[in-house]
Amino acid sequence: MSLKIAIFCHSLVSDWNHGNAHFLRGIVQELKARDYDVRVFEPQNAWSRENLERDHGQAAVRAFRRAFPNLSSIRYTKEPDFEGELDGTDLILVHEWNEPSIVASLGAYRKRHPGTRLFFHDTHHRAITAPEELSRFDLSAFDGVLAYGESLRQAYQRLGWGKQVYVWHEAADIRTFHPLPSPGKIGDLVWIGNWGDEERTEELREYFIGPSCDLNLKAVAFGVRYPISAIAELEEANIAYDGWVANHKVPEVFARFRVTIHVPRRPYTQQLPGIPTIRPFEALACGIPLVSAPWNDNEGLFRIGRDFLIAPSREQMGSCLRDVLHDQSLAQSLAESGLQTIRNRHTCGHRVDELLSIFHQCAPAIREEEVYS
């Protein structure tokens, strides 16, 4: 069955402080590889793209197009002509970074087109941390919510949002994220992530800056939204700060370092356990050994201790990093095991299979007056 699919997102082109672009690019590529008709819509004034172009100019956009020649998006300045643009669409996926007006208009479109399936895709913690923001979205006409973790699915159920809520984890785009030759390493430890919002400042000090200092590692940090004080703190710790790196270049970065770490944001460890965000998937897909600050893998996504190590404290992080850096067999075992788990369970191909399964099992539209009266 050939499907016509529309995706509404904040930006497909820009990954400046926009990790959702990573996963959506992989999903779109996988759908296109299966010969589905996929169109992506994004607002003309997406702040992620505006920041990208401000900092890096059109060169960053051209680099994206070279890296992903089969990906494109329709940019709109006002609400698209849904009747014209979406005619015959089977599945519409709406990411939660859209404006409430777009969500409402797509819900109205769904009411007029009972043959279409409409899903809301949530990859954020604000259902718990800022429910008043999410309550602005009218999901009454949506066929379901795709939540990127069981704890988020349960939050939706408790709050009564959405008729059906499904778990749809993020995953690695293995067309982009895969091991690369690494004839020579230029450093010991690399961390790729955004500072942002004070949600993990203390955690970065405990699990990244502190252990790097303790071991006198050659370390580098990449990312955006680092305040001047954070950059100064890194410099004092002898950690280089190299700013934004295009996500499609991350495998090249990983190939130049011996180990990486994962430092989850506090809301995911305290209020939405079980959601690792996309960074560990991508790191493991690249075959680099990973050590993580603590988080609860209560959904059994990985084999802790085999796919990567978890360090509950600064001292244990230092110990784990020391072991990986000085025990080649351990480093190789972690890299191989983590890569195997990604390829067996956590690729965008797996997630497209899950999406299509949800689409096909979604309850057939019943009479509109029964649902939306």
Side-chain angles (χ1 to χ4, degrees), residues 81-288:
D81 174 10
F82 293 115
E83 293 299 330
E85 295 282 3
L86 300 181
D87 183 41
T89 300
D90 300 291
L91 189 162
I92 304 173
L93 187 64
V94 186
H95 189 261
E96 53 95 11
W97 273 24
N98 281 279
E99 290 297 318
S101 60
I102 293 293
V103 172
S105 294
L106 287 167
Y109 176 88
R110 168 65 181 85
K111 292 180 183 181
R112 298 191 300 271
H113 297 271
T116 299
R117 293 293 173 268
L118 179 62
F119 295 99
F120 188 72
H121 180 208
D122 194 343
T123 58
H124 199 266
H125 55 68
R126 61 179 174 170
I128 295 294
T129 58
E132 69 284 355
E133 292 184 18
L134 208 55
S135 65
R136 298 181 301 149
F137 296 116
D138 180 4
L139 303 181
S140 61
F142 279 63
D143 294 282
V145 173
L146 306 180
Y148 79 145
E150 174 61 25
S151 55
L152 185 58
R153 187 189 73 83
Q154 293 176 7
Y156 267 88
Q157 288 185 321
R158 288 193 303 270
L159 294 166
W161 294 333
K163 294 189 290 293
Q164 299 181 88
V165 189
Y166 306 89
V167 173
W168 198 44
H169 282 286
E170 292 182 314
D173 170 15
I174 61 172
R175 288 178 173 83
T176 301
F177 290 86
H178 51 81
L180 294 177
S182 52
K185 305 295 186 183
I186 66 169
D188 300 312
L189 171 63
V190 61
W191 184 67
I192 301 176
N194 303 325
W195 191 273
D197 301 328
E198 296 297 319
E199 289 181 347
R200 57 180 164 203
T201 301
E202 291 305 317
E203 289 82 353
L204 286 170
R205 289 171 179 148
E206 180 169 2
Y207 297 105
F208 175 46
I209 297 173
S212 180
C213 284
D214 295 342
L215 299 178
N216 194 28
L217 300 181
K218 189 173 183 181
V220 180
F222 291 85
V224 300
R225 298 180 69 197
Y226 282 63
I228 294 174
S229 59
I231 296 173
E233 194 169 341
L234 292 174
E235 184 177 356
E236 185 178 353
N238 200 30
I239 297 172
Y241 171 60
D242 279 1
W244 174 77
V245 57
N247 198 50
H248 66 271
K249 291 289 187 180
V250 165
E252 297 175 20
V253 174
F254 281 146
R256 300 198 299 267
F257 288 84
R258 299 169 64 195
V259 65
T260 189
I261 62 171
H262 174 52
V263 183
R265 293 174 184 263
R266 201 170 307 121
Y268 294 112
T269 61
Q270 296 182 356
Q271 294 160 293
L272 286 173
I275 298 177
T277 71
I278 200 166
R279 294 290 187 184
F281 293 107
E282 294 176 341
L284 297 178
C286 289
I288 185 172

Side-chain angles (χ1 to χ4, degrees), residues 268-342:
Y268 294 112
T269 61
Q270 296 182 356
Q271 294 160 293
L272 286 173
I275 298 177
T277 71
I278 200 166
R279 294 290 187 184
F281 293 107
E282 294 176 341
L284 297 178
C286 289
I288 185 172
L290 171 69
V291 183
S292 178
W295 65 279
N296 182 11
D297 184 16
N298 55 11
E299 294 185 59
L301 299 173
F302 302 103
R303 299 170 295 184
I304 307 300
R306 293 178 58 187
D307 297 336
F308 60 87
L309 305 177
I310 282 188
S313 67
R314 170 174 174 165
E315 291 73 21
Q316 287 171 295
M317 175 63 80
S319 177
C320 288
L321 289 173
R322 185 185 302 107
D323 289 346
V324 171
L325 291 169
H326 291 89
D327 186 338
Q328 181 57 37
S329 63
L330 172 62
Q332 182 175 345
S333 174
L334 290 170
E336 291 175 352
S337 181
L339 179 60
Q340 179 188 57
T341 292
I342 294 297

